[in-house]
Amino acid sequence: MTDGEHESGRSAAWVDPLTRLVGYQLRRASAMLMGELGAALGEIGLRPAEATILLLIDANPGCSQSDVGRALGIARANMAPLVAGLMRQGLVDRAPVDGRSQALELSAEGERRLAAARALIAAHEARLQASLGEDGRDRLLGLLDALRQPPAAGSMLEPVADVPPPRAKTE
Amino acid sequence: MTDGEHESGRSAAWVDPLTRLVGYQLRRASAMLMGELGAALGEIGLRPAEATILLLIDANPGCSQSDVGRALGIARANMAPLVAGLMRQGLVDRAPVDGRSQALELSAEGERRLAAARALIAAHEARLQASLGEDGRDRLLGLLDALRQPPAAGSMLEPVADVPPPRAKTE
DNA sequence: TATTGTTATACTCTATAACTATA
DNA sequence: TATAGTTATAGAGTATAACAATA
């Protein structure tokens, strides 16, 4: 009964069993960053996916939208409306190559828009680097790259369970 | 003309200007992990958000769904159908506290389901730790936590732009 | 047979506004 | 006035299936 439930915050003490979960923390961090970057890019009429498409076309002029989709992990079916939107905005030009393939290039306006997007992305990344520290950025990128790889052989022999343990319950 | 476009892969050489972008790499890593975990949890009829809700209720019995929503960054409006679904599955019980607040608790079946979910989450996290290395996990969690904080004062005075620089174009 | 591009569709997640009942 | 919970709705993002045209 002597709980102290109504003193400081919401309830007596909030327990967060998610602080040590890599998957969850990664998801929250990603959502936060994409929200911030999305708000910034929204000011120039671009969504994050559209900005990355412009970056890829600029770096690989003449590529197909299937190439871009593969690089970004976006299904071909979902690339169609994305590229159509960029063409409707006059940012991307398309020329037949194959009869079935179309070569993508940035228009002059597309290059101008991309320059603006680059500035916003650079500002965002600079903010992240300020939080992470100079070496933190490289360490984080390295760890994310390691995550992408399958575990090294033999590493699964000692399963290190680290999920919040069941707390004592029912007395 | 001597391009070599049709030799090895798709085109001559694919350039990826996104490899150094923390925001993008974090987003891709998060999507990959959530896809894997979602597939695993799907086998026991739970989505990642539902599993985290069960974890939070178990760690904070008697909490309100507003508490859970705040902790998970889920809007109240979106918590309603989530909790309703968990109650319909018989995993969560609810008792009025306030007249406007309801105390959430896991049912016996909810605890059983959570135990299964915990095992799947632990296996997933163990796989990640195998990729990251023993210390890698802690370093990654530390960096993600640093990311959450606003940049330290005075760190933004030297904006380190590191977005893929415009490559030579038009010849 | 495999690939490009397209359409249609559905499902999840998220965001907003509006409403009620209560503190 | 602020909070808890609900409903409705709209917008992204993503996933699958199917199709036509081409390689």
Side-chain angles (χ1 to χ4, degrees):
Chain A
M1 269 64 164
T2 57
D3 247 336
E5 293 250 350
H6 40 70
E7 286 304 315
S8 46
R10 188 128 311 268
S11 62
W14 182 261
V15 177
D16 186 353
L18 309 172
T19 50
R20 302 290 305 164
L21 294 183
V22 171
Y24 178 76
Q25 295 301 328
L26 212 60
R27 172 170 147 64
R28 289 302 296 273
S30 169
M32 188 187 78
L33 298 198
M34 291 307 291
E36 293 172 355
L37 183 59
L41 289 173
E43 304 274 337
I44 61 171
L46 288 179
R47 289 168 296 177
E50 295 175 318
T52 58
I53 292 174
L54 295 184
L55 275 172
L56 282 181
I57 295 176
D58 180 66
N60 304 277
C63 66
S64 73
Q65 76 186 49
S66 288
D67 294 332
V68 175
R70 263 186 297 271
L72 294 178
I74 300 178
R76 282 70 63 208
N78 297 327
M79 281 299 296
L82 276 171
V83 172
L86 293 173
M87 285 176 41
R88 217 180 318 108
Q89 293 181 66
L91 305 179
V92 168
D93 290 331
R94 201 159 68 162
V97 172
D98 217 17
R100 75 178 171 183
S101 271
Q102 313 253 332
L104 302 179
E105 282 189 4
L106 293 192
S107 68
E109 189 179 343
E111 291 180 5
R112 259 178 280 131
R113 193 77 73 89
L114 176 56
R118 248 196 265 266
L120 295 173
I121 296 171
H124 186 240
E125 291 284 319
R127 270 231 354 263
L128 302 185
Q129 180 150 344
S131 291
L132 294 171
E134 171 65 33
D135 52 323
R137 177 201 180 93
D138 284 336
R139 288 192 288 130
L140 177 53
L141 287 171
L143 288 165
L144 294 178
D145 186 64
L147 264 188
R148 193 169 312 243
Q149 323 292 335
S155 328
M156 285 296 292
L157 300 181
E158 40 211 335
V160 184
D162 196 8
V163 170
R167 314 189 313 153
K169 50 194 165 190
T170 53
E171 286 90 273
Chain B
M1 271 60 166
T2 55
D3 249 334
E5 294 249 349
H6 40 69
E7 286 303 316
S8 46
R10 187 126 315 264
S11 63
W14 182 262
V15 177
D16 186 353
L18 310 173
T19 49
R20 304 288 305 164
L21 294 183
V22 170
Y24 178 76
Q25 295 302 327
L26 211 61
R27 173 170 146 65
R28 289 302 297 271
S30 169
M32 188 185 79
L33 299 199
M34 291 307 292
E36 294 172 355
L37 183 60
L41 288 173
E43 304 275 334
I44 61 171
L46 287 180
R47 288 169 298 174
E50 294 175 319
T52 58
I53 291 174
L54 295 183
L55 276 171
L56 281 181
I57 295 175
D58 181 66
N60 303 277
C63 65
S64 73
Q65 77 186 46
S66 288
D67 293 333
V68 175
R70 262 185 298 270
L72 295 178
I74 299 177
R76 283 68 63 207
N78 298 327
M79 282 298 297
L82 277 170
V83 171
L86 293 173
M87 285 175 43
R88 216 179 317 106
Q89 293 181 64
L91 305 178
V92 168
D93 290 332
R94 199 159 67 162
V97 172
D98 218 19
R100 74 179 172 182
S101 272
Q102 313 254 327
L104 301 179
E105 281 190 4
L106 293 192
S107 68
E109 189 180 343
E111 291 181 5
R112 260 178 280 130
R113 191 79 71 89
L114 177 55
R118 248 195 264 266
L120 295 174
I121 294 172
H124 185 240
E125 292 284 319
R127 269 230 354 263
L128 302 185
Q129 181 149 344
S131 290
L132 294 172
E134 170 65 34
D135 53 325
R137 176 202 181 92
D138 284 336
R139 286 192 290 131
L140 178 52
L141 288 171
L143 288 165
L144 293 178
D145 187 63
L147 218 40
R148 191 169 313 244
Q149 321 294 332
S155 326
M156 285 296 291
L157 299 182
E158 41 213 333
V160 186
D162 197 8
V163 171
R167 313 191 312 155
K169 50 192 163 188
T170 54
E171 292 92 273

